[in-house]
Structure formats: C-alpha cells, structure tokens
Amino acid sequence: MYDTVEPNVIDDEMLRNAVEEQGPREEAGHIAKMEGISFKDVTSLRLDFKNILKIDNLWQFHILTKLQLDNNIIEKIQGLDTLVHLVWLDLSFNNIEVIEGLSALTRLEDLSLHNNRISVLENMDRLKNLQVLSIGNNNLTSLENLIYLRQFQQLRTLNLSGNPLSEDEEYKLFVAAHLPDLVYLDFRLIDDNIRDIANVKYQYSIEEMNHNETLERVKREKEEQDERELDKHKAAYVENLNGPFLFEGMYVEDVEGSRLSSLPAVAELVESYPTKCTELCQNIFQYGLNHHEKREAEMAVFNECLQEAVTENQEAGAKKIQEFQSKNYELLYELSQITDQQILDAKSLQYSQDVAQLMDALLNLEIQLVDQLEGAELQYHTQPVDRVGLFLEESSPVLAQVRDLENQHHEKLLELCINMLEQVLKGELDEDMTDELRALFVDKDTIINAVSASHDIHMLKIDNREDELVTKINNWATDLIQKVHQEELRRNRKRVAEINTYVDHLRDELDNFDILEQI
C-alpha cells in the first residue's frame, strides 16, 4: 500500500482545512474563514480519506464529541488521550491490529473499528458507556473472546460480520446466550426464538458464568469500599491505626525479635502486648475520625459563608448593571436621533461618565467583598490550627502509652532472656532451638544486644508513626489556609477582568456609534 499511497501527517493546515470544510457556507463561511475558527470550540471533526498514518496533534480540540478517521492507513490507535468528551469515534477501514489507546474515552458510546486487522477484543474496559460496536471484517476467530463484551451493560448493537468466527455454526446462538441485552447483531434484530434456543443450549454454562460474575462483582465492590474507607482514613491521617498494623510493623524488620518470639516462654509474654497496643491505636484512630468530621463540617460552614458573600455581592453588581442598562440604552437611542453636534457631544460625555461611575461602583463592590472575605479568612484561620492542636493533645498521650507498653515489654523480655541464658549455659533448658536462635544465647552481651536492638526498632516505628501523623496534619492546616487564599486571589482577578471586559464593551459601543455617525 505504501508504494502507491503517500502517508499524510495531521498538521495544523490539515486541521484548519477540515474545520473550514465543515464550517458554515456562503457569507457566514467567509466571515468565519476571515476571523478564524478556534479548534477548542469544534465539536465534530472529519479526517476521513486523508491517507493519515499516525493520529497526532488533536489535543487542541477541547470539546470534540465526534471524530471520523475512517478510510486512512492508520496502524496504531494513539493520540486520543485528551479527547475525553468523545462520544462517537470511527476508525474503520484502516490497518489497525491491536485495540489500545482508548482508556481515556470513558464517554464513548459509538465505536467503529470495521475493516481492520484486529484479532482480539481487549483493552476497552474503561468504555462503560459503549452502546454500539462495529468490528466486522477483522480477524476475530474465538467465540470465547466474545465473553469479554459481557462487561458492557449498555451495549445494544454489535457488528461482527466478516470475521472468521461469524462462520461458526454456533455463532448467533453463542452471542445471543452470552450477550442477553444485545438487541441488534450484524444489523439484524435478534428474535426471541433465537434467544430461547440459545438460553436452553447454554443454560448451565451461563448459570455458572453468572455465579462467577456475581462473586467477582461482590469482591470488586468490597475492594472499592475498602479503598474508599482507606481514603477516608488517610484524610484523617490515621490510616492503618484501626488494627494491629503498627504492632505487626514493629516486627517486619526486627529479625532478632521475630526469632525470640518463636520461643514458647516469649510467646506467652508477647500474648497480651499486641491486644493492648491495638486498643491504644484504635483510640487514636477514633480521635482522628472524629476530628476529621469536625474539620469537614467547619470547612463546609466556612465555604457556605464565602459563597453567600460572593452571591450577595454579585447580585448587588447585577442590580447596578441593570440600572445602568435601563438608563443608558435610552441614552444611546437618543444619540441616534440627535443631529445637533453640541448636544451629541454632551450626551456622549454623559454616557462616558456613567460608564466610569458604573466601573467605580463595581470595583468598590469587589473591594468590599475582598475585605469581607479577608476578615472571614482571618476568623477561620484559627479553626484548623485549633482543631489540629486538639487532635494532637488527645493522640500524643496515647502514643506515649504505646511507648510505655514497649518499654515494659522490653524490660520483661530482657529479664526473661537473661534467665533463659543461665538455663542454656547450665544445660537445664530443654527447649528445641534453631542454630540461629541458639547463637543469641551464647553470652550475656549477645542476648542483651539482641533484645536492645529489637527494642530500638520498635521505638523507631512508634516515633516514625507519630512524626508522620504530626507532620501531615500540620501540613494540612498550612496548605488549607494557603489554598483558601489562592482561590480567593484567583476569584478576585477573574472578577476584576470581567468588570474591565464589560466596561470595555460599553465603551466600544459608544465608539462604534461615533464611527457610524461619521459615516
């Protein structure tokens, strides 16, 4: 094919030509061509029959919903990640071998891959809104691969004609049984008779499949629920404090401690430690969730107050604009009727003064709002800091109790191991010991060092968890205040720009009127 066809690149010239071809005709089209059409405003784009080899340069189309790339020489699906609003995509009559590059197109409803070289249905899991899939005249051979399409619960129209699997005598029955919500297959309505036969033929395999899918769905829902819960715990900065995770984490890198725990006497000593440690961690966890809920509630009240202030200010501004418009639209009409130049100049000056007064009034309103919001920010500023302080006041003593537990455990363990050492040295200990464990009981210094090393690791884990908690929640308070300030700064800049744009528009109206008068 490449010997006879010169591949094209999707460049700005091709895109401009395509947009102009699809734009308005006659006078409207001429004006649009003169002024230029912004790619970011285009919703539909045709790039068919362009000899395109590679999909590229489409990031400029911010709100594109329909894209035609059929009848080209495209080999790979790529360059579509930014087209998140795409609903309709035609890639038929190309040289595509693998379905890929579609994961960002979560709104896609209609997809055509007809007449390509695809051999496997895959990599479409994110297309949950898919309703129409045309993938006829490809290289699909496996009926079992069609089970992949069961996940698309909105799929109603499917075209598979021209694939090797469509020649299988079980083809229609297999599709009807495994895709029960499908309405049209290969451009024909699936009749009830076919469905009935298919359901009987595949009854047992479908029942098993439904059962397995139900189990998988329950498992997935549980995982998603657990993930949401973990996100909530992270937002409260108490993740993994609602169980034995801290205690278990102490032994992850504690080689000596893990070896000693295998001794029955040590195991009895350790028995109550994890339970008490977990209870204390659970207390911190609950404190964190409670304070998180209070922080969220306080933030919601603060945001509501901000929004009320902004809304009231905008309404006041809209009222002033409305008053100006009712007065000055009449003035502009008067200007169009006046022939005396002196009166015309006086009225024009009055209009300019009214515009200036309106601008001052709108900017004064914005200044008042800025002052009001700054006061609210200053008042709110202490709440996150106070809330953080209260949480740390509650959690720090509990972590101190965890340290006390560890210290008590360390003292008991050290005493027990020294006693065991005396028994080992006297040959009175009947415990079966591994060579690694026995190497710890050779002398007093060795066993003391081993127990102390275990203790140091445990204390470090506790200290690190407290440092992590304190650092994250303090950063939250700092980042929150900064975020509120930055958002208010952006709002203020946007509002001032809107006022300036509106006033410029009013002044342009007068300038355009003067030009018309001169003509």
Side-chain angles (χ1 to χ4, degrees):
M1 178 175 289
Y2 300 131
D3 294 336
T4 58
V5 177
E6 183 68 27
N8 278 337
V9 177
I10 302 178
D11 55 17
D12 283 349
E13 182 181 358
M14 178 187 290
L15 294 175
R16 279 196 302 272
N17 291 337
V19 171
E20 288 172 5
E21 287 173 6
Q22 297 161 207
R25 302 295 180 184
E26 300 177 352
E27 184 62 24
H30 177 69
I31 294 172
K33 189 171 183 179
M34 292 291 291
E35 295 181 351
I37 300 175
S38 176
F39 290 168
K40 67 182 179 62
D41 298 325
V42 175
T43 58
S44 178
L45 182 63
R46 287 188 56 182
L47 294 172
D48 51 336
F49 295 97
K50 303 289 186 186
N51 295 332
I52 295 168
L53 176 62
K54 180 182 178 182
I55 305 172
D56 198 7
N57 210 28
L58 297 179
W59 56 268
Q60 305 169 80
F61 294 84
H62 296 179
I63 60 172
L64 198 67
T65 58
K66 182 176 181 179
L67 175 60
Q68 286 183 247
L69 285 165
D70 56 287
N71 289 280
N72 285 292
I73 51 175
I74 297 168
E75 296 180 340
K76 184 176 183 179
I77 305 174
Q78 59 185 352
L80 302 176
D81 291 344
T82 60
L83 306 182
V84 294
H85 298 284
L86 214 58
V87 175
W88 193 95
L89 175 62
D90 189 352
L91 286 164
S92 57
F93 294 92
N94 279 287
N95 299 320
I96 298 167
E97 295 185 359
V98 178
I99 301 175
E100 59 187 341
L102 301 173
S103 58
L105 311 184
T106 56
R107 300 186 184 184
L108 201 63
E109 297 177 3
D110 192 316
L111 173 62
S112 180
L113 293 165
H114 186 80
N115 212 102
N116 278 281
R117 302 173 181 178
I118 297 166
S119 57
V120 179
L121 294 171
E122 59 184 346
N123 301 326
M124 296 188 291
D125 303 51
R126 300 288 299 279
L127 310 185
K128 299 303 182 185
N129 293 309
L130 196 63
Q131 299 176 18
V132 178
L133 175 61
S134 178
I135 193 165
N137 284 10
N138 276 274
N139 298 326
L140 301 174
T141 59
S142 170
L143 289 178
E144 294 295 325
N145 185 214
L146 299 182
I147 295 174
Y148 177 81
L149 299 177
R150 284 173 63 85
Q151 65 184 294
F152 305 110
Q153 297 181 5
Q154 298 186 44
L155 187 64
R156 298 294 179 268
T157 300
L158 176 65
N159 172 34
L160 294 165
S161 62
N163 283 285
L165 59 75
S166 65
E167 302 299 321
D168 193 304
E169 60 182 13
E170 300 294 329
Y171 164 62
K172 289 185 178 179
L173 293 177
F174 188 92
V175 173
H178 290 82
L179 303 176
D181 295 323
L182 200 65
V183 178
Y184 296 97
L185 175 62
D186 300 340
F187 310 108
R188 292 186 178 183
L189 185 69
I190 301 176
D191 61 54
D192 293 338
N193 184 47
I194 290 289
R195 291 191 191 280
D196 292 340
I197 298 172
N199 290 336
V200 171
K201 181 176 181 61
Y202 292 97
Q203 177 182 355
Y204 298 112
S205 62
I206 294 297
E207 286 178 354
E208 182 180 0
M209 193 173 297
N210 287 335
H211 175 70
N212 292 336
E213 287 174 350
T214 299
L215 294 178
E216 184 62 31
R217 184 177 65 255
V218 171
K219 178 184 176 183
R220 185 170 60 252
E221 290 173 354
K222 177 65 167 58
E223 290 173 350
E224 291 172 355
Q225 181 182 351
D226 291 345
E227 190 173 343
R228 286 193 298 270
E229 283 294 308
L230 181 58
D231 289 340
K232 180 181 177 181
H233 300 166
K234 286 180 178 178
Y237 308 107
V238 290
E239 68 273 17
N240 299 328
L241 288 175
N242 58 329
F245 307 106
L246 179 59
F247 177 82
E248 291 171 353
M250 295 178 188
Y251 286 90
V252 171
E253 299 172 4
D254 181 11
V255 178
E256 282 78 5
S258 299
R259 289 174 183 170
L260 291 170
S261 296
S262 64
L263 292 170
V266 177
E268 291 176 9
L269 175 65
V270 175
E271 189 172 341
S272 63
Y273 182 18
T275 303
K276 292 177 180 178
C277 181
T278 300
E279 288 175 356
L280 291 171
C281 289
Q282 187 68 44
N283 290 338
I284 300 173
F285 175 78
Q286 199 57 53
Y287 294 152
L289 289 186
N290 292 341
H291 283 284
H292 174 64
E293 290 176 3
K294 291 175 182 177
R295 291 197 302 269
E296 292 289 296
E298 290 169 352
M299 189 64 187
V301 171
F302 174 69
N303 286 331
E304 186 178 348
C305 292
L306 290 188
Q307 190 55 50
E308 285 179 4
V310 171
T311 301
E312 288 177 7
N313 188 276
Q314 288 176 341
E315 289 174 353
K319 184 177 180 182
K320 289 187 177 297
I321 290 172
Q322 188 175 9
E323 291 171 353
F324 170 86
Q325 288 176 340
S326 358
K327 174 184 176 183
N328 287 279
Y329 279 163
E330 294 177 7
L331 181 58
L332 281 175
Y333 177 74
E334 288 179 23
L335 289 174
S336 67
Q337 306 300 316
I338 296 172
T339 56
D340 188 297
Q341 188 60 43
Q342 285 187 333
I343 299 175
L344 188 62
D345 291 343
K347 292 287 186 180
S348 297
L349 178 60
Q350 179 187 341
Y351 181 85
S352 297
Q353 291 173 342
D354 289 346
V355 170
Q357 289 176 2
L358 175 63
M359 182 176 185
D360 289 342
L362 293 176
L363 288 176
N364 283 333
L365 277 174
E366 180 58 23
I367 291 171
Q368 293 172 18
L369 178 61
V370 169
D371 291 341
Q372 186 179 356
L373 296 184
E374 282 182 355
E377 283 181 35
L378 287 173
Q379 185 178 2
Y380 176 71
H381 178 83
T382 59
Q383 288 185 346
V385 177
D386 292 344
R387 181 62 57 195
V388 167
L390 288 172
F391 176 41
L392 294 180
E393 283 178 14
E394 291 179 342
S395 60
S396 294
V398 181
L399 282 165
Q401 292 181 54
V402 176
R403 289 191 186 88
D404 290 342
L405 267 180
E406 170 56 29
N407 285 327
Q408 293 168 17
H409 170 72
H410 169 65
E411 291 172 2
K412 292 178 182 178
L413 179 61
L414 184 58
E415 181 181 356
L416 177 64
C417 287
I418 290 175
N419 291 335
M420 291 180 66
L421 173 64
E422 293 176 359
Q423 292 178 286
V424 170
L425 295 177
K426 292 178 181 179
E428 296 174 355
L429 190 66
D430 296 330
E431 300 286 353
D432 291 332
M433 289 187 179
T434 63
D435 293 340
E436 290 180 340
L437 189 57
R438 191 173 293 278
L440 299 177
F441 289 89
V442 292
D443 56 49
K444 190 173 183 179
D445 287 342
T446 302
I447 193 61
I448 289 176
N449 290 337
V451 174
S452 297
S454 173
H455 176 60
D456 289 343
I457 290 172
H458 294 185
M459 293 297 284
L460 182 61
K461 289 288 184 180
I462 298 169
D463 291 344
N464 287 344
R465 187 61 183 92
E466 182 173 29
D467 289 344
E468 181 185 5
L469 188 153
V470 172
T471 301
K472 284 184 176 179
I473 198 163
N474 280 324
N475 287 343
W476 166 80
T478 303
D479 293 344
L480 177 62
I481 300 302
Q482 186 176 2
K483 180 182 177 184
V484 169
H485 179 72
Q486 291 296 330
E487 287 179 352
E488 167 53 18
L489 188 61
R490 281 193 293 270
R491 186 211 62 76
N492 172 247
R493 288 174 177 171
K494 181 181 178 184
R495 180 58 177 165
V496 171
E498 288 173 349
I499 293 171
N500 286 326
T501 301
Y502 178 66
V503 169
D504 289 344
H505 167 70
L506 295 177
R507 287 171 175 160
D508 287 343
E509 278 190 329
L510 182 61
D511 292 342
N512 293 334
F513 177 80
D514 290 341
I515 292 171
L516 289 173
E517 285 295 313
Q518 293 172 11
I519 293 174

